[in-house]
Amino acid sequence: MSTLRQFEYLVTVVAEGSFTRAAELLHVTQPALSHQVRALEREVGGPLLERLPRAVRLTPMGRAMLPHARAALADAERARLAARQACGLESGELQLATVYSISLGVLPPVLRAWRREHAGVHIRLFEHRHTDELRAAMTGGQADLAVGPPPSDWDGPVHTLGVEEFVVVLPPDDPVVGEGATRIELAALADRGWVHYSPENGLSDVLEQACAGAGFQTRAAIRTEQTAAAPMLAAAGLGPALVPANIIPTHFDGALLRPDPPVHRTLTAYTRSGPDPLTSAFVDTLARKAAVLPDHVRRRLAPAKTGS
């Protein structure tokens, strides 16, 4: 039967790209390391690594096994931490994975509240460009908990946090921004060059799908890899931007308009298996403190009151 130690050896060899360096890191002899990897290969019925003159590379069987080996090691570490934390939530480490826009807009008030309530628990944050990358990282055992859009075909628990709203950002003096206006038809911007995102950024898909739903194809005036840069570039007049409302800073001088049709994205927290007490406590904090639509943006998007 495969052991956690064999999984650790396999993962380390792949990470280091060398049996020699892996053996040094693990404080074992190279023959002992090679013996355990070969034993694992016999157990699964085929080669996991191709041994090259100066490196090693995964075989198709190895590529299939690697994420499960990583997940098994991560689960074992969580089991160890859960046992240590059985008496409370005073110490430990929570590994959290998300996408860039959520770490920018949704998580700061959550992490602030968590630090006040659980100052001894360290948060290790992993950020990803795309929701597909996030799901793959969680499948591979990277973190205890992921925060992002609902993952497809997910077997573990998924907790809905709320619905994220997107807004269109324009310069305050843009001709389509009327006095008191809070909405704009996306089709009215069909001839504009947009502040777009790099293709690897998941918000690129959100923008293109929203514009396609409004009947036109997005044309990029400029692309940015930095989610936080998009509203600033739009406010500076480089083109309209479609951004999560929760990333808008408190003192922001650009115009904010709700798109028509509206653009929304459900946000969730998900784990591979039933969460331990530490992870459950963080999910509770997420549910209470996640800034899905901050108050300062809600006020700006509210229709202007007319006098009697």
Side-chain angles (χ1 to χ4, degrees):
M1 180 179 293
S2 304
T3 66
L4 287 173
R5 179 54 59 88
Q6 289 171 340
F7 287 159
E8 181 184 20
Y9 286 178
L10 173 66
V11 168
T12 306
V13 170
V14 173
E16 295 299 315
S18 162
F19 276 84
T20 301
R21 290 195 295 272
E24 292 173 353
L25 185 65
L26 294 165
H27 303 292
V28 298
T29 65
Q30 186 171 335
L33 174 62
S34 299
H35 174 75
Q36 288 298 322
V37 172
R38 284 195 297 269
L40 180 59
E41 290 175 325
R42 287 195 299 271
E43 173 71 22
V44 300
L48 300 172
L49 297 170
E50 182 181 356
R51 293 145 175 90
L52 304 174
R54 295 183 178 274
V56 295
R57 65 184 297 272
L58 287 164
T59 66
M61 287 183 67
R63 287 194 294 274
M65 170 168 273
L66 185 63
H68 298 285
R70 286 174 172 159
L73 292 171
D75 285 339
E77 176 63 12
R78 274 187 291 277
R80 185 184 68 82
L81 289 175
R84 291 179 59 186
Q85 296 158 5
C87 295
L89 301 173
E90 291 80 15
S91 63
E93 179 181 84
L94 179 72
Q95 296 177 341
L96 175 64
T98 190
V99 291
Y100 287 120
S101 63
I102 291 175
S103 65
L104 178 65
V106 174
L107 287 183
V110 177
L111 297 175
R112 189 180 305 116
W114 179 262
R115 183 173 179 82
R116 286 197 304 267
E117 298 167 8
H118 307 286
V121 178
H122 175 66
I123 299 292
R124 186 177 181 188
L125 184 65
F126 301 92
E127 297 174 284
H128 297 276
R129 298 170 299 179
H130 198 285
T131 56
D132 291 343
E133 289 183 8
L134 175 62
R135 185 190 186 285
M138 278 298 292
T139 300
Q142 181 186 67
D144 305 302
L145 176 73
V147 180
S152 59
D153 301 322
W154 190 254
D155 294 331
V158 178
H159 308 270
T160 299
L161 301 175
V163 178
E164 183 179 46
E165 184 172 354
F166 283 73
V167 294
V168 173
V169 180
L170 290 164
D173 58 353
D174 191 284
V176 302
V177 180
E179 184 177 354
T182 59
R183 295 186 179 274
I184 186 168
E185 292 187 7
L186 284 179
L189 302 172
D191 60 344
R192 301 284 190 99
W194 286 72
V195 174
H196 212 320
Y197 303 93
S198 64
E200 298 81 11
N201 189 316
L203 295 182
S204 175
D205 295 342
V206 174
L207 173 59
E208 291 182 0
Q209 291 168 10
C211 293
F216 65 96
Q217 184 174 0
T218 317
R219 179 171 58 85
I222 190 172
R223 288 184 182 267
T224 178
E225 294 183 357
Q226 303 298 324
T227 302
M232 307 304 175
L233 295 172
L238 277 77
L242 184 69
V243 305
N246 50 58
I247 75 166
I248 299 298
T250 303
H251 303 290
F252 180 67
D253 59 4
L256 305 182
L257 300 170
R258 281 191 165 104
D260 185 14
V263 182
H264 298 112
R265 182 171 67 168
T266 300
L267 297 184
T268 63
Y270 57 96
T271 57
R272 284 183 303 282
S273 58
D276 58 48
L278 187 61
T279 305
S280 294
F282 192 85
V283 172
D284 290 341
T285 306
L286 274 167
R288 290 186 289 111
K289 297 294 185 178
V292 178
L293 182 62
D295 288 340
H296 70 276
V297 177
R298 191 190 307 274
R299 289 192 294 270
R300 288 191 58 175
L301 294 174
K305 295 181 179 179
T306 57
S308 57

